[in-house]
Structures are given as structure tokens and as C-alpha cells.
């Protein structure tokens, strides 16, 4: 009996378990499919208005002197003295002595030239007297006809005059060489290079230094093809130059002076900006901050004014060709636009937008047309005033 139970009981358990699984499977609840609600993006918008936009052209360049000269002695000799301001960075005034060459040899040459002139003048006086005596003698003898030039000593008189003229020229040359022993500043300026010292022998025509004027400085600015399209070269455009000096940003104002031409290597247009009186201008901090030669500056040039454009933040422009607009149904609309101008801050749109369009200013990496949005910030666009040069 026990043996029968041990055989039948496992079979009964298996049959009961199988039947229970059938019942559970027959009564299983079917899953209910639900449509997930669409996700709503929170965005900020800006209501657009058309305006006139002054294009600001940006570039960088290095300050260079308007007038610069190499100091080259016109006479040879030993340097006997240097001006106190003849040091690199030294400032000097027009007419100030910069370098003086030992003048003793040239004093001697001038004295000798004057002696030669006196001797030539005496010879001319002697020949003039002899010529007058020869004419008087011819007349006293009562000879007929015209006396020859030799009789009247005219060749000797002409030679004496020529000798006197040559001696006079030698005196003038000696005086000029003596003046050239002093190198005088032709204008107010600054010493940018010096290669000699007192006691050094210098040759005629060998550069000994370099100076530049401080009445004005120039800045050469390269412009791209797109930038030069909006550059107004007809007038004198105002230019702001800035540079960081210490912990402060300094500002200088110049004018577009001229257009040099297109660089063959870079195909960029080089324009020259001139700043007058760069060593006596006041910055916004009311401190005198000179604009020095060799200084690197950033430039903002006032270009043409774009009429009836929509000025939007540069970050709202996607791939340089489209923007996101919120439709009346509060959904995203990807709108193709035409960009007339853009820089790091703003983009001026000439086509593709209308007044009161709701521009989405919130950065959205990937978004499709029709995506619902909810506005968290709705502001009216500020006018374009103040975006030009101050």
C-alpha cells in the first residue's frame, strides 16, 4: 500500500499543478495600450520688429608710425656727443640735437676753403686790373680796329672768375659739412632704435638709429570680402580701437584714412586707420594712455546702415540659414531666412521674417516642426540703438 501511494502521489501533484497553470493562463488580464502624451518644451520668445541696423566691421591690427625715418649721418667722424633724449623710447622736440659728430676736421676744412676763396678773390682783382690797364694802353696808342681777347686779357679774367666761383662753392660745401656734424630732429617724435654710442666712428651713409613722429599713428586692418562689401569708403568712417592695458580696456578713436588694396596672398583688403595725437588722448577712465607703436589693438569700424532688417541674437540663428518661430498654435516652426550680416553678437535678417514673429531664443539642439512649446518668457525686441559705435 505504501508503495502504491509513493508512486501515485507525485503523479497527482504534477496533474494538479498543470491544471492550475491552465486556469491562471485562461484568466490572465490583457495589457491596455495607451498613447503617451506629447512632451511640451519650455521656451523664451522675442517679438520681432524691423529696424535700421548699423553694420559694425571688426578687425585687428598693429599700431605703426605714420612718419618714420632712419638716422643716417651725411659726414664721417667720431661721435662727440649724444642728445639726452637719444635713447630707445626717448621723446624729443623738433629742432633738438640728437647726435653730434666731432667737428674739428670740418672747422679746418672751412678755414682752408675761406683762405682759398680769399686767394681766388685776390687773383680776380689782379686780373681785372690788368685787363683794364691793357684796354687803356690800347686806347692810348691810338690803334685802330678791335683789340683781341688775348690783348684785353679776357681769358685770364674768365679763369680768375671761375676760380673764385669754385672757391666760393668749396666754402659753401665746408659750411654745409660743418652743419651736418649735428643731426637735428626734424619733428616731434620718439627714438625707436639706436646703434651707436659716444666715441664711436661712423661712416657717411651708415644708419645709426631710427625715429618716428608722434603727431599721428596708423593701424593697418585686414578685411574679408564680406566685410569690405559693407565698408563705406566714400567718407571718413569712425573707428574705435581698443586694447587691454593692465587690467583695464583702453579706447581710442580714429578715422578711416585710406584703402591700400587687396593683399595678393590672403585676398584681404587692407585699410589704414589714422589716430591723431595718440600720445595725448583721454580714455574713458580719464587717464592719459598713449597708443604706442607696436601695440596690438582690436577695431570696430562703422559700416553701412542696413534698412528694414530684423536684428536677432546670433545664438538664435541655426546653421547660418534658419531660425525657430513659435506659431499661433504654440508649436515650433523652422523658418528659412536670408542673413544680410552677422557677427559674434547679432545677425541682421533681410528676408524670411515678419513683424511680431515670435522668435524662439532658447537654444534647442534638435527639434521638429510641430513640436508643442510653452512660453516662459515673452519680451518685446529692444531697438537697435546703441549697437553702433559710441
Amino acid at each position: 500500500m505504501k508503495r502504491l501511494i509513493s508512486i501515485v502521489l507525485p503523479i497527482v501533484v504534477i496533474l494538479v499543478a498543470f491544471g492550475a497553470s491552465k486556469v491562471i493562463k485562461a484568466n490572465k488580464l490583457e495589457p491596455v495600450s495607451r498613447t503617451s502624451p506629447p512632451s511640451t518644451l519650455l521656451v523664451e520668445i522675442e517679438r520681432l520688429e524691423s529696424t535700421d541696423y548699423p553694420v559694425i566691421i571688426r578687425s585687428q591690427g598693429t599700431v605703426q608710425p605714420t612718419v618714420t625715418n632712419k638716422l643716417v649721418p651725411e659726414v664721417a667722424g667720431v661721435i662727440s656727443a649724444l642728445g639726452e633724449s637719444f635713447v630707445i623710447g626717448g621723446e624729443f622736440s623738433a629742432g633738438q640735437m640728437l647726435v653730434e659728430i666731432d667737428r674739428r676736421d670740418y672747422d679746418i676744412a672751412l678755414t682752408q676753403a675761406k683762405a682759398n676763396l680769399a686767394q681766388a678773390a685776390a687773383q680776380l682783382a689782379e686780373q681785372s686790373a690788368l685787363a683794364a690797364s691793357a684796354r687803356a694802353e690800347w686806347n692810348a696808342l691810338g690803334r685802330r680796329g678791335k683789340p683781341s681777347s688775348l690783348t684785353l686779357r679776357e681769358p685770364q679774367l674768365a679763369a680768375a672768375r671761375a676760380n673764385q666761383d669754385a672757391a666760393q662753392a668749396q666754402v659753401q660745401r665746408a659750411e654745409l659739412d660743418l652743419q651736418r656734424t649735428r643731426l637735428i630732429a626734424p619733428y616731434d617724435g620718439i627714438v625707436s632704435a639706436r646703434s651707436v654710442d659716444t666715441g664711436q666712428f661712423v661712416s657717411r651713409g651708415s644708419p645709426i638709429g631710427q625715429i618716428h613722429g608722434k603727431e599721428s599713428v596708423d593701424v593697418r586692418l585686414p578685411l574679408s570680402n564680406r566685410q569690405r562689401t559693407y565698408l563705406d569708403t566714400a567718407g571718413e568712417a569712425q573707428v574705435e580701437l581698443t586694447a587691454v592695458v593692465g587690467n583695464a580696456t583702453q579706447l581710442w578713436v580714429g578715422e578711416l584714412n585710406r584703402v591700400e588694396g587687396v593683399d595678393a596672398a590672403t585676398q584681404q583688403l587692407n585699410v589704414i586707420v589714422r589716430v591723431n595725437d595718440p600720445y595725448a588722448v583721454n580714455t574713458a577712465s580719464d587717464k592719459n594712455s598713449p597708443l604706442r607703436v607696436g601695440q596690438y589693438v582690436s577695431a570696430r569700424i562703422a559700416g553701412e546702415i542696413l534698412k528694414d532688417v530684423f536684428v536677432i541674437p546670433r545664438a538664435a540663428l541655426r546653421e547660418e540659414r534658419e531660425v525657430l518661430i513659435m506659431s499661433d498654435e504654440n508649436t515650433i516652426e523652422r523658418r528659412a531666412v536670408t542673413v544680410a550680416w552677422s557677427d559674434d553678437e547679432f545677425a541682421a535678417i533681410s528676408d524670411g521674417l515678419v513683424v511680431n514673429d515670435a522668435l524662439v531664443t532658447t537654444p534647442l539642439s534638435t527639434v521638429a516642426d510641430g513640436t508643442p512649446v510653452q512660453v516662459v518668457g515673452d519680451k518685446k525686441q529692444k531697438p537697435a540703438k546703441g549697437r553702433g559705435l559710441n
Side-chain angles (χ1 to χ4, degrees):
M1 187 65 176
K2 290 183 179 178
R3 181 176 177 80
L4 179 62
I5 293 173
S6 63
I7 295 173
V8 173
L9 184 60
I11 296 173
V12 172
V13 172
I14 293 172
L15 292 174
V16 171
F18 181 75
S21 67
K22 286 288 187 179
V23 173
I24 292 173
K25 199 176 279 189
N27 295 309
K28 183 175 71 170
L29 296 176
E30 292 293 333
V32 178
S33 61
R34 296 178 181 178
T35 303
S36 58
S39 59
T40 301
L41 299 176
L42 300 179
V43 296
E44 292 184 345
I45 64 172
E46 183 177 296
R47 299 288 176 177
L48 299 179
E49 292 183 358
S50 63
T51 184
D52 294 341
Y53 181 72
V55 172
I56 302 301
I57 301 171
R58 301 174 186 271
S59 186
Q60 302 85 32
T62 304
V63 180
Q64 59 188 16
T66 301
V67 178
T68 182
N69 297 95
K70 288 184 178 181
L71 282 182
V72 179
E74 297 182 79
V75 294
V78 176
I79 294 178
S80 58
L82 296 175
E84 292 183 359
S85 60
F86 190 60
V87 291
I88 296 178
E91 299 187 18
F92 54 84
S93 302
Q96 187 174 344
M97 189 274 291
L98 300 177
V99 179
E100 185 171 17
I101 297 174
D102 190 350
R103 55 178 289 167
R104 288 176 295 178
D105 289 340
Y106 299 98
D107 281 329
I108 294 172
L110 178 58
T111 301
Q112 186 175 359
K114 288 181 177 179
N116 293 337
L117 176 60
Q119 186 177 0
Q123 290 177 354
L124 177 59
E126 180 182 357
Q127 291 300 327
S128 297
L130 291 175
S133 176
R135 181 175 292 279
E137 182 180 354
W138 176 272
N139 294 332
L141 293 176
R143 295 179 180 179
R144 297 181 180 180
K146 184 179 180 181
S148 66
S149 59
L150 288 175
T151 301
L152 298 181
R153 303 186 64 84
E154 290 179 355
Q156 293 87 337
L157 185 61
R161 286 198 183 99
N163 288 337
Q164 185 185 37
D165 291 343
Q168 182 65 47
Q170 289 177 356
V171 170
Q172 293 174 351
R173 170 58 64 84
E175 290 174 342
L176 188 58
D177 286 344
L178 189 60
Q179 293 176 6
R180 289 170 173 171
T181 59
R182 292 171 56 88
L183 277 69
I184 305 300
Y187 45 71
D188 295 347
I190 296 176
V191 178
S192 53
R194 166 183 157 179
S195 58
V196 293
D197 212 336
T198 305
Q200 184 174 342
F201 180 85
V202 293
S203 302
R204 179 178 180 178
S206 298
I208 60 175
Q210 187 165 331
I211 60 174
H212 64 262
K214 60 180 184 179
E215 181 179 350
S216 64
V217 293
D218 292 344
V219 181
R220 177 181 285 106
L221 300 175
L223 303 180
S224 65
N225 290 333
R226 183 165 174 267
Q227 287 177 318
R228 70 193 193 194
T229 301
Y230 296 96
L231 179 66
D232 183 10
T233 58
E236 294 181 347
Q238 188 180 23
V239 182
E240 286 184 354
L241 302 175
T242 57
V244 177
V245 180
N247 295 325
T249 299
Q250 305 292 338
L251 170 67
W252 302 267
V253 178
E255 289 184 347
L256 184 63
N257 180 262
R258 65 185 185 275
V259 178
E260 283 193 338
V262 177
D263 188 285
T266 63
Q267 287 300 299
Q268 290 185 313
L269 180 71
N270 290 323
V271 298
I272 301 298
V273 172
R274 179 158 297 174
V275 179
N276 293 317
D277 206 8
Y279 292 87
V281 293
N282 291 326
T283 63
S285 60
D286 293 328
K287 293 182 180 179
N288 190 31
S289 180
L291 181 60
R292 300 188 180 278
V293 171
Q295 191 169 353
Y296 185 79
V297 294
S298 298
R300 300 172 72 238
I301 308 173
E304 295 182 1
I305 297 178
L306 302 179
K307 300 292 185 180
D308 297 325
V309 295
F310 295 90
V311 182
I312 66 174
R314 178 65 179 78
L317 182 64
R318 298 160 59 89
E319 298 180 355
E320 296 292 332
R321 57 185 177 85
E322 72 172 20
V323 296
L324 299 181
I325 300 295
M326 187 189 74
S327 67
D328 295 337
E329 292 76 24
N330 286 5
T331 59
I332 288 292
E333 176 189 344
R334 297 170 60 183
R335 184 88 58 85
V337 295
T338 301
V339 181
W341 175 264
S342 66
D343 54 27
D344 293 338
E345 298 181 59
F346 303 103
I349 308 301
S350 60
D351 191 25
L353 299 175
V354 295
V355 174
N356 210 36
D357 266 344
L359 175 71
V360 177
T361 58
T362 302
L364 300 174
S365 58
T366 303
V367 66
D369 283 337
T371 302
V373 294
Q374 180 179 347
V375 177
V376 294
D378 186 350
K379 56 185 177 180
K380 190 174 181 180
Q381 187 178 45
K382 295 181 180 180
K385 292 181 180 180
R387 290 175 180 168
L389 297 184
N390 295 324

